[in-house]
Amino acid sequence: MGPNKTLRTISQDAFDELVKENIEDLGMEPIEALEDAIQTLTIQGVDLSGIVTCVPGEGSAKDNPIFQCLERLRELESISEDQISNDHLDEILKLFDKLIELCSVEGSGNAAIAVKNGGIELVCSFCSKIPVDFKQVLVSALKILALFLYDVQSTETFRSSGGPTILASILKNGNESVDILDSGFTVVAVAATGNEILKESFMELKIDELILQVLSRQSTGNIQSLYDAIRVLLTPDDNRVVASQVYGYARRFAKIGIAGALVQSLHGGLTSPSLVSATIALKAVAVNDEICKSIAERGGIDAILQCIDDSGEQGNKAVARTCCSLLSKLAGSDSNKSAIIEKRGLDRLIRLSARFSDDPSVLQEVMSIITVLSLRSPDNAARAIEAGAGEFVIQAMQKFPSAPQLQRNSCFMIRNLVVRNPENRTLLLNQGIEKIIRRARETHETCKDAATDALRDLGLSNYSLDSHFGGM
């Protein structure tokens, strides 16, 4: 996590001067002087991330390996492009790899030190100068940027350094290299996370067209970061803005053909290493009824149901969860509901739930789909009960009483199964569903409203009373 944007900051020189004053003016020992400076600044709300804290006399900030790498890189960056030799490039690569190694150490704070001391601006400058022919050097530079972009402040530095334009150029000119594309789209994803302005910058640079070009090739399967970039660009995750533009971006993605290209990715089935990522990305694109219908028209529902079948047979929980989540989104379209029912979707979902009966995370996704399929559709609710949805929900609620999301999803599902189907109410009540729902309401705060609504739609006059007032 990056520093809180509300904290005050301090420069390395100012921090070192404060420690020095503690020693010279207050007569403190070096260790005491350092500890006092840290404590004092922390109390004052000063952000110390990126500050090298070393004991005076035992070293200085300039001895830090991050400082040393950056200093030498600055010297190399100042050499004119026509004078850069292969030896220089080899040294740059070694320095980049050293930075990657240092900044990958969890909890070290090395990335923050590099960022505070101009690391982003320096690496962006290198990226603007390194030809794509020097793939290794460029890939290492992109990997460093991905480590440096950890909060809004760092991504804003990336933006002000011309990062989006530089990156778009690299992706365009290096689109024959899987390594450059993978590293480059990783930077797109981390840079755009939580930053609406950068999402807009990438869209202005027509990143969607570049994504489509890459997706249209057969060798995209190994570029996991491409799908991460799609997901992030279409996620409204910047709490600084009131209204995000990502809904419009998703429609633009679909209009130029990205939704169709993602559907093609699903047809590879469980043999595709990017199936889960592609499924999540396609869900991010499916923002309205028209797009959901177009996905179905391109064989999306057939592909998803096949993946659901295969995930059950192979015990692949990740695929089962993500495919169910996507199918739930697509089922929001009435025409897609009919298609899912016609393709025996309910039977296939109940079969999946039996295969993953020990995993609440899969079961609650199955419940979500049945909830959507049964919404305002008594015929589908009747079919769901015929397929075994009643027994499924009762068994799941009894087996996982401590899983709040599953209990909540169960209540939503029960509501839609019974609200327009009196015969389903009788069936579920005879199987003891009232007691199970009341227990969920008493156990989980997040289930209270959903459970109360379910009891009401079951036709119980005492739906708002606790179990001991309900005659139980």
Side-chain angles (χ1 to χ4, degrees):
M1 292 291 292
N4 189 312
K5 62 182 179 182
T6 62
L7 293 178
R8 297 160 57 196
T9 59
I10 188 171
S11 69
Q12 184 69 52
D13 288 343
F15 177 83
D16 292 342
E17 186 61 30
L18 178 59
V19 176
K20 183 181 177 183
E21 287 176 3
N22 282 346
I23 296 172
E24 295 180 353
D25 297 348
L26 301 178
M28 293 183 182
E29 293 296 321
I31 295 179
E32 182 188 7
L34 176 64
E35 292 175 348
D36 179 81
I38 293 172
Q39 184 179 14
T40 300
L41 292 170
T42 301
I43 291 172
Q44 292 175 357
V46 176
D47 172 34
L48 294 179
S49 63
I51 295 296
V52 178
T53 55
C54 53
V55 179
E58 296 181 12
S60 68
K62 293 182 179 180
D63 296 324
N64 184 281
I66 294 288
F67 270 75
Q68 293 172 349
C69 282
L70 293 177
E71 188 59 35
R72 179 55 184 154
L73 282 170
R74 286 192 183 91
E75 293 172 0
L76 292 166
E77 193 271 339
S78 66
I79 300 173
S80 61
E81 291 182 52
D82 58 347
Q83 292 183 332
I84 288 281
S85 66
N86 287 334
D87 288 341
H88 288 138
L89 288 168
D90 288 341
E91 186 178 2
I92 292 169
L93 178 60
K94 288 178 182 177
L95 289 166
F96 281 171
D97 290 343
K98 181 65 175 177
L99 278 176
I100 293 170
E101 179 187 347
L102 291 168
C103 294
S104 298
V105 178
E106 191 173 350
S108 67
N110 285 334
I113 293 172
V115 169
K116 195 174 188 71
N117 290 279
I120 292 174
E121 298 91 331
L122 183 59
V123 177
C124 282
S125 178
F126 271 111
C127 286
S128 69
K129 297 177 179 178
I130 301 170
V132 293
D133 297 342
F134 299 101
K135 184 182 75 173
Q136 242 183 320
V137 183
L138 201 51
V139 167
S140 288
L142 293 171
K143 287 180 178 178
I144 294 170
L145 277 178
L147 292 169
F148 284 178
L149 305 179
Y150 54 78
D151 66 357
V152 173
Q153 288 174 315
S154 56
T155 56
E156 280 299 307
T157 301
F158 172 75
R159 183 176 68 85
S160 62
S161 301
T165 302
I166 294 167
L167 183 56
S169 176
I170 290 171
L171 289 169
K172 182 178 179 180
N173 295 324
N175 62 12
E176 298 297 328
S177 168
V178 170
D179 291 336
I180 287 178
L181 291 173
D182 192 30
S183 301
F185 280 115
T186 296
V187 177
V188 172
V190 296
T193 297
N195 195 318
E196 182 79 15
I197 300 172
L198 271 171
K199 294 182 204 290
E200 183 179 1
S201 296
F202 283 124
M203 292 301 293
E204 288 175 351
L205 291 163
K206 299 184 178 179
I207 195 75
D208 51 331
E209 295 179 10
L210 185 55
I211 287 171
L212 180 60
Q213 290 174 18
V214 178
L215 272 175
S216 300
R217 297 183 192 146
Q218 298 300 313
S219 59
T220 325
N222 293 324
I223 307 177
Q224 298 279 345
S225 60
L226 175 71
Y227 304 102
D228 293 335
I230 295 172
R231 172 184 55 80
V232 171
L233 287 167
L234 303 183
T235 300
D237 56 1
D238 189 340
N239 56 19
R240 300 172 301 167
V241 299
V242 177
S244 174
Q245 301 298 312
V246 299
Y247 178 77
Y249 300 158
R251 288 186 299 165
R252 190 166 129 184
F253 272 45
K255 184 176 181 180
I256 68 170
I258 289 177
L262 287 170
V263 171
Q264 284 300 116
S265 300
L266 301 189
H267 286 297
L270 270 68
T271 59
S272 170
S274 299
L275 176 60
V276 169
S277 299
T279 303
I280 294 171
L282 185 55
K283 182 182 176 183
V285 178
V287 295
N288 61 24
D289 190 74
E290 180 184 355
I291 297 172
C292 288
K293 285 180 181 178
S294 72
I295 290 170
E297 290 166 359
R298 289 174 170 79
I301 289 176
D302 288 318
I304 295 165
L305 287 172
Q306 186 60 56
C307 288
I308 285 174
D309 290 343
D310 294 343
S311 69
E313 292 175 7
Q314 298 182 28
N316 193 319
K317 295 178 182 180
V319 170
R321 280 194 300 268
T322 53
C323 284
C324 284
S325 180
L326 173 57
L327 190 63
S328 180
K329 187 83 172 280
L330 299 181
S333 164
D334 287 340
S335 63
N336 286 353
K337 286 181 186 178
S338 300
I340 293 168
I341 297 294
E342 290 169 6
K343 297 176 190 299
R344 296 176 48 254
L346 285 167
D347 293 327
R348 295 161 88 165
L349 289 168
I350 296 299
R351 185 165 64 244
L352 182 76
S353 71
R355 293 184 184 274
F356 290 109
S357 60
D358 291 327
D359 191 329
S361 69
V362 174
L363 301 182
Q364 65 197 32
E365 292 294 346
V366 172
M367 291 172 181
S368 179
I369 303 173
I370 297 175
T371 300
V372 176
L373 291 173
S374 304
L375 179 65
R376 296 187 298 274
S377 177
D379 288 343
N380 288 352
R383 290 189 180 96
I385 289 292
E386 290 172 7
E391 293 86 351
F392 159 53
V393 72
I394 289 171
Q395 290 170 9
M397 291 185 79
Q398 288 177 326
K399 189 168 186 177
F400 300 103
S402 300
Q405 189 60 50
L406 179 139
Q407 297 290 321
R408 191 163 182 260
N409 284 14
S410 297
C411 292
F412 288 142
M413 174 177 154
I414 291 165
R415 285 194 65 192
N416 287 1
L417 290 176
V418 303
V419 66
R420 300 189 183 194
N421 297 69
E423 72 282 4
N424 290 351
R425 298 175 203 163
T426 303
L427 187 149
L428 290 174
L429 286 170
N430 288 342
Q431 292 180 327
I433 196 66
E434 179 184 358
K435 183 178 180 180
I436 299 170
I437 294 173
R438 288 188 185 277
R439 186 183 299 119
R441 183 172 68 176
E442 293 170 5
T443 305
H444 304 290
E445 183 68 28
T446 56
C447 288
K448 283 192 174 181
D449 291 343
T452 298
D453 291 342
L455 292 169
R456 181 197 62 213
D457 290 342
L458 279 163
L460 299 170
S461 59
N462 60 351
Y463 64 88
S464 62
L465 300 177
D466 292 335
S467 59
H468 54 281
F469 291 115
M472 298 182 65

